[in-house]
Amino acid sequence: MDIPLFILALIAAFIYTLVTSIRNSSRIKALEREVLSLKRLMAAGVTAPAISPAQAQNAEATGEPDFAAEQESDAAPQAAASPAEYTSEHQEDTALAASEEVVREEAQPAPAAQAVSERPAKESFESQLGARWAVWAGGLALALGGIFLVKYSIEAGLLSPAVRLSLAAVFGLLLALAGEAIRRKAVPGIAAAYSNAMIPGVLTAAGALTLFGVVYAAYGIYDYIGPGTAFILLGLVAFATIGLSLLHGQALAGLGLLGSMLTPALVSTDTPNIWALFVFLTVSWLATAAAARRQGWTVVPSLANAGLGLWALGYIGFSDTINAEPPTLALLVMLAGTIFLWPGKPLDAPPADAAETAAPGRRAVRIMRLLLRPSLAINLTVSMAVILPAIAFLFASGGIDTHPALVVSALIAALAALGAVRHYAVWPAFIAALGAQTAVALMSGQGIDFIGVINDTGIALPPVGTGYTAEIAMALGLGAVLVLCAFSFLKRKGADDVDFAQLWAGIAALFPVWLATASFVEYGNLGRDWLHAAYGFGLGLVLIAGAEWLHRRDNAAYRKPLNILVLGSFAAFALSLHTLTEGLATTVLLSVIGFAYVLASRYRNWEVLPWIMAVASVAVLGRIAWEPTIVGPQNLGRMPVFNALLPGYGIPALLAVASAWLLRDWPGVRAKNFLQAIASVMGLLAVAILIRHAMNGGTLDNSVPTLGEQSIYTLLTIGFSGVLMTLDLKSPSPVFRYGSMIAGVIAVINVLTMHFFTLNPYFTGENTGRIPVLNLLLIGYLLPALAYGGLAYYARGKRPPPYVSMLAVAGAALGFAWATLSVRRFWQGENIADWKGFMQGETYSYSVVWLLIGVLLLVLGSRFNARSLRLASAAFVLISVAKAFLIDMSNLEGVLRALSFIGLGAVLIGIGLFYQKILTRKPQA
């Protein structure tokens, strides 16, 4: 006959118990050394420091929390419950005698840190083999021997099932009694040396496994007892095991917890009582938490959290009809127990190296220690055990008797309360906020079957509703709960926990607005929603009031949380604005709200106030990018300038410029520079969009601009560069300095790409106009050339020489293009497209004009001592020479060819004579 499956499961559980005991060895050793060292120090009259480096390393390695924050009334019981209970009287007498000897000698006592950090010698192989491995192997052999004995009796038919079960039960009880007897009398004193191989704990674990197997076999194999009796007996064994773990360690507690969590799964019935199930699981969790508080454990309570959460998930996922109250109340009890029972107050204890990580430049280390505290396992498991079932309610395949919005709201609110009540409860706070947003986002996408109240006579279906009252209430209610929790934490513990205070301030500033936005988009009236508008406005006022309250507390620790709350108030006001307005009103009022915060900087020196105007301006630019017409193409008038674009672009630009001017003396350089930059961009954009609308027939589209329109943009950019340069001279700023040069470079790029190639009428065939001089070539080439020349002259000595030379060369190139295209227009008429070819007179005229331009640039370069103009003159002369020899010689005939070369020679001789006179006047270097 094969070994039953449940027996194999018991063997696996027993092996797990042994492995866990091995892992706890180092922790119990550290506690024993600490107790012995403290006894010696107290007897010698030496005051030990709060914690030594060795203790800090041990606590960090074993995952034990710091109990420095516990009340004095709790310190004595915890000290009494340490594993020193197993220390023999002989060891205590030896320690006291050594202490008295130190006092009698009146010698200087050894340093406390040295006494605490003493480490025992490395254990020999003989000790490991004989004193540890033998115990583990013996415990396993006992369990296997009992199993094989039962197997033999079954195969041989020696004993009836009832007798075998009775003997097994007696055997299990005898193992537990033997463990207790050995712990008390037989071998006292060995626990300190062999803490992870304690014979009493191994015997007790073997007895517990035997009793578990007996009860399950009596119920599941032989049907001697019913489900109710089996459930009660298995629960009693599990709770007894948890109770005995107070004497035998955390590994036995884990075994008892495992038994209690498996008991409902082992006992099956056709009519399960869900209330009884979760009451049992809740009591099991409370028992485990009480034992963990007594002993300072972290592993077992974390497993208890995970077990309760998995049971809730399993019930939700595999039930046809869900009774929501039992799992919800069980999870709420778990949260309350975490707050008040375990970890409770020890969760408030700061990390051992809090003073070290508080130093400047250690922010990253401080945040990591904040997240990865010894209580990380408890924080994380309790958070996931609550949030996963809460989300699972939204995906439940069966019907549910309570609206999921109520259940989810209760669980997330309680989890947020845990994050607000205790220090360093980072994960509950963050996961509660993120879970709230996830629940609201998922609520609309799930077809939830709300079946009403389940009673004895059947299911009472509720009336069908068409609104989303519960969903909206959940979103807005959770936002209010997060704000309340944030202010609660800031008031009680914010000054002592700066990083966590910033996290809570961020949650209060971001997530309520996020939740309300999701609720408005999914369930609100997108036209005009007064409920969400009132919520946003009220939230903004509450956050502003909270910031003022922190300001009046006059504590430097609240500086960053205060700024975060102010930023969140702007987001709330912006939400309220979007729920009531649209189009032009929203765009303009968004800038007005940002400008109001700038005005508030005259009364409060909060660092974030200028940045709010910057954020508002970025939001306006985002709205413009989404809808450039502001009011929609069908509502935009065709009248130039005086249309919706003027206030839609102009008012935000003027407010941005006014903000930059009002904050010109603001101490924050970055905010001031950013405002100056964005004000400059918005001003340029406002003028450019009005030009685009006027030049494009009163419409805004993505059509390619004409040369005239592009020329206006080029002139605008050149002028913008000059304005920024002037502002930089009056009020030096890196934004104005580099912005002016960037604008100049952008204008040059426009010239190279658009004026010379893409929009050149020689390539496009665009009509240049009827009037000889006042035509398209004037605005497309001559005016930009003059603008570049003026800007280059203005920038001399104020900007780097290469930049000035670039402007001068760009102006000369535009002047050259204007002269050349004007010659072609003189010979070809209004249309100067390339397909018309060239005339001989036109070809000769180019040479004459280019030489004249070269001479003119030479004169101007000498007059203003501009080397760049003289070099440009040389370039035009070289172009004329190349044209004469490459083109005129082959294309011109008769007198025109002769005149071309005669004129070229005369000009070249004149230029040479000019340079000779200039050079002879100057002394040679």
Side-chain angles (χ1 to χ4, degrees):
M1 179 179 178
D2 295 334
I3 298 176
L5 181 62
F6 80 93
I7 296 179
L8 296 177
L10 294 178
I11 296 174
F14 183 75
I15 295 174
Y16 166 79
T17 303
L18 295 179
V19 172
T20 307
S21 298
I22 296 173
R23 292 178 179 174
N24 290 335
S25 174
S26 59
R27 178 177 52 206
I28 300 178
K29 284 182 181 179
L31 292 174
E32 290 297 334
R33 287 196 303 270
E34 181 181 355
V35 171
L36 293 177
S37 300
L38 289 176
K39 284 183 177 180
R40 295 169 185 170
L41 293 174
M42 292 174 62
V46 179
T47 302
I51 186 168
S52 68
Q55 287 175 309
Q57 292 178 358
N58 289 334
E60 191 173 10
T62 57
E64 286 298 313
D66 184 7
F67 293 95
E70 285 281 14
Q71 295 180 353
E72 294 180 2
S73 59
D74 295 336
Q78 290 184 10
S82 67
E85 185 177 347
Y86 296 117
T87 305
S88 64
E89 298 178 359
H90 174 72
Q91 287 177 310
E92 293 179 358
D93 294 341
T94 304
L96 292 176
S99 302
E100 293 174 0
E101 183 179 355
V102 172
V103 175
R104 285 195 302 268
E105 292 177 356
E106 296 182 356
Q108 184 176 357
Q114 180 179 357
V116 174
S117 62
E118 291 179 355
R119 296 180 180 273
K122 185 177 180 180
E123 187 176 6
S124 65
F125 175 76
E126 179 184 5
S127 175
Q128 292 181 356
L129 181 63
R132 297 186 186 276
W133 296 349
V135 173
W136 304 330
L140 182 60
L142 282 175
L144 291 176
I147 292 172
F148 291 143
L149 181 62
V150 172
K151 181 176 182 295
Y152 171 75
S153 67
I154 293 174
E155 293 175 349
L158 299 177
L159 301 173
S160 65
V163 175
R164 290 197 301 268
L165 291 177
S166 300
L167 292 176
V170 171
F171 178 67
L173 292 175
L174 289 176
L175 286 177
L177 292 175
E180 179 62 16
I182 293 175
R183 185 188 71 83
R184 291 188 175 186
K185 298 180 180 180
V187 284
I190 66 173
Y194 302 103
S195 56
N196 68 336
M198 291 185 295
I199 296 175
V202 172
L203 293 176
T204 306
L209 284 173
T210 303
L211 293 176
F212 273 123
V214 168
V215 175
Y216 180 73
Y219 160 72
I221 298 178
Y222 301 110
D223 292 330
Y224 286 148
I225 58 178
T229 305
F231 187 87
I232 293 174
L233 291 177
L234 288 173
L236 290 176
V237 174
F239 290 140
T241 307
I242 295 175
L244 290 173
S245 68
L246 295 174
L247 302 175
H248 298 286
Q250 187 170 197
L252 192 62
L255 178 62
L257 174 65
L258 178 64
S260 64
M261 290 297 169
L262 289 179
T263 294
L266 297 176
V267 180
S268 61
T269 177
D270 296 333
T271 58
N273 189 330
I274 303 304
W275 277 103
L277 168 65
F278 281 98
V279 167
F280 173 81
L281 293 173
T282 303
V283 172
S284 175
W285 186 94
L286 290 172
T288 304
R293 176 180 175 84
R294 183 72 172 81
Q295 301 297 93
W297 295 331
T298 57
V299 177
V300 170
S302 301
L303 295 176
N305 296 337
L308 187 56
L310 289 175
W311 266 108
L313 277 176
Y315 171 65
I316 296 170
F318 296 100
S319 298
D320 295 331
T321 56
I322 300 174
N323 188 0
E325 286 84 356
T328 302
L329 292 177
L331 295 175
L332 292 178
V333 170
M334 179 182 66
L335 289 172
T338 304
I339 294 174
F340 300 107
L341 181 59
W342 179 254
K345 292 180 180 179
L347 191 62
D348 291 345
D353 55 353
E356 176 188 357
T357 57
R362 301 296 301 276
R363 183 172 186 80
V365 176
R366 189 165 64 248
I367 293 176
M368 289 304 297
R369 292 297 176 88
L370 178 69
L371 297 177
L372 302 178
R373 285 177 45 79
S375 58
L376 166 67
I378 296 179
N379 270 332
L380 200 53
T381 54
V382 75
S383 302
M384 300 308 295
V386 171
I387 203 64
L388 291 180
I391 301 300
F393 276 115
L394 303 179
F395 289 91
S397 57
I400 182 170
D401 66 338
T402 305
H403 199 291
L406 301 178
V407 178
V408 173
S409 299
L411 291 175
I412 295 178
L415 183 60
L418 169 60
V421 167
R422 294 300 180 192
H423 276 301
Y424 309 106
V426 178
W427 291 109
F430 180 73
I431 292 177
L434 194 60
Q437 182 60 34
T438 304
V440 172
L442 294 175
M443 180 71 76
S444 61
Q446 305 300 321
I448 300 172
D449 182 16
F450 172 39
I451 63 174
V453 180
I454 300 176
N455 49 42
D456 296 335
T457 60
I459 299 175
L461 295 176
V464 178
T466 57
Y468 299 99
T469 304
E471 288 81 356
I472 296 176
M474 180 182 75
L476 303 186
L478 286 177
V481 167
L482 292 176
V483 173
L484 181 62
C485 290
F487 283 122
S488 174
F489 182 85
L490 291 173
K491 178 181 180 181
R492 296 181 300 105
K493 304 174 183 293
D496 302 326
D497 196 348
V498 179
D499 294 316
F500 200 10
Q502 294 177 30
L503 176 62
W504 264 119
I507 290 175
L510 173 63
F511 283 94
V513 178
W514 193 356
L515 291 169
T517 302
S519 174
F520 170 66
V521 173
E522 292 291 343
Y523 315 112
N525 182 2
L526 298 181
R528 184 166 296 171
D529 194 320
W530 290 101
L531 174 62
H532 289 89
Y535 180 85
F537 186 75
L539 177 62
L541 291 180
V542 169
L543 294 178
I544 282 289
E548 178 65 20
W549 167 65
L550 293 180
H551 173 77
R552 294 178 182 274
R553 293 176 75 93
D554 195 21
N555 192 326
Y558 290 124
R559 182 174 60 88
K560 290 185 178 179
L562 182 152
N563 289 321
I564 295 172
L565 292 179
V566 175
L567 187 60
S569 69
F570 169 75
F573 289 139
L575 168 65
S576 180
L577 177 65
H578 281 82
T579 59
L580 295 179
T581 63
E582 60 182 5
L584 179 62
T586 305
T587 304
V588 173
L589 291 177
L590 199 58
S591 291
V592 172
I593 294 175
F595 187 71
Y597 282 86
V598 173
L599 296 178
S601 63
R602 294 179 170 270
Y603 304 97
R604 291 289 182 267
N605 60 346
W606 299 338
E607 300 171 0
V608 75
L609 293 177
W611 287 107
I612 291 180
M613 184 60 193
V615 172
S617 300
V618 171
V620 168
L621 291 177
R623 288 186 56 84
I624 289 174
W626 179 262
E627 180 52 72
T629 62
I630 304 294
V631 294
Q634 68 280 3
N635 299 321
L636 182 61
R638 293 183 175 272
M639 180 179 293
V641 181
F642 298 101
N643 51 65
L645 299 177
L646 181 61
Y649 285 78
I651 294 178
L654 289 176
L655 291 177
V657 172
S659 300
W661 184 79
L662 289 174
L663 296 170
R664 62 190 182 278
D665 297 327
W666 186 260
V669 178
R670 293 181 179 177
K672 181 170 60 177
N673 291 341
F674 189 85
L675 270 178
Q676 291 173 350
I678 203 165
S680 303
V681 171
M682 295 182 71
L684 179 64
L685 179 62
V687 178
I689 204 69
L690 291 175
I691 294 173
R692 173 67 173 170
H693 177 266
M695 297 292 293
N696 205 38
T699 60
L700 290 179
D701 52 32
N702 57 355
S703 60
V704 179
T706 62
L707 178 61
E709 181 181 347
Q710 181 60 45
S711 299
I712 295 177
Y713 297 149
T714 302
L715 291 172
L716 178 63
T717 310
I718 297 172
F720 181 68
S721 177
V723 170
L724 292 182
M725 195 184 308
T726 303
L727 292 175
D728 182 48
L729 295 176
K730 294 184 177 180
S731 178
S733 168
V735 173
F736 296 148
R737 185 179 310 115
Y738 296 109
S740 64
M741 291 189 287
I742 291 174
V745 171
I746 292 175
V748 171
I749 294 174
N750 283 336
V751 167
L752 293 176
T753 57
M754 307 298 288
H755 291 252
F756 284 121
F757 297 103
T758 305
L759 301 178
N760 192 331
Y762 176 75
F763 298 112
T764 63
E766 182 180 358
N767 194 291
T768 59
R770 298 179 181 179
I771 304 176
V773 177
L774 303 177
N775 50 45
L776 181 63
L777 300 180
L778 175 68
I779 189 174
Y781 295 95
L782 182 58
L783 292 182
L786 297 175
Y788 271 116
L791 183 62
Y793 179 76
Y794 185 57
R796 293 181 63 190
K798 306 178 184 67
R799 292 293 179 264
Y803 174 74
V804 177
S805 299
M806 179 196 70
L807 297 177
V809 170
L814 283 169
F816 168 76
W818 174 78
T820 302
L821 295 176
S822 295
V823 169
R824 183 166 178 80
R825 184 185 182 281
F826 176 80
W827 290 97
Q828 299 290 348
E830 298 176 12
N831 192 313
I832 59 174
D834 57 343
W835 55 268
K836 287 187 173 184
F838 294 90
M839 300 178 182
Q840 286 196 5
E842 178 186 351
T843 303
Y844 176 75
S845 300
Y846 291 142
S847 299
V848 175
V849 170
W850 293 352
L851 285 174
L852 291 176
I853 292 175
V855 172
L856 178 61
L857 290 177
L858 180 60
V859 173
L860 292 176
S862 301
R863 172 66 179 81
F864 296 107
N865 193 23
R867 184 172 180 268
S868 58
L869 292 180
R870 295 197 298 269
L871 292 176
S873 170
F876 282 111
V877 172
L878 290 176
I879 292 173
S880 301
V881 171
K883 176 181 176 296
F885 284 95
L886 298 177
I887 298 177
D888 293 355
M889 187 178 294
S890 59
N891 292 337
L892 297 181
E893 298 177 356
V895 69
L896 291 179
R897 179 186 296 177
L899 291 176
S900 176
F901 279 89
I902 292 172
L904 176 61
V907 171
L908 291 176
I909 292 174
I911 291 173
L913 180 61
F914 178 80
Y915 269 104
Q916 289 177 1
K917 290 185 177 181
I918 294 297
L919 294 176
T920 54
R921 292 177 183 174
K922 297 181 179 180
Q924 297 294 330

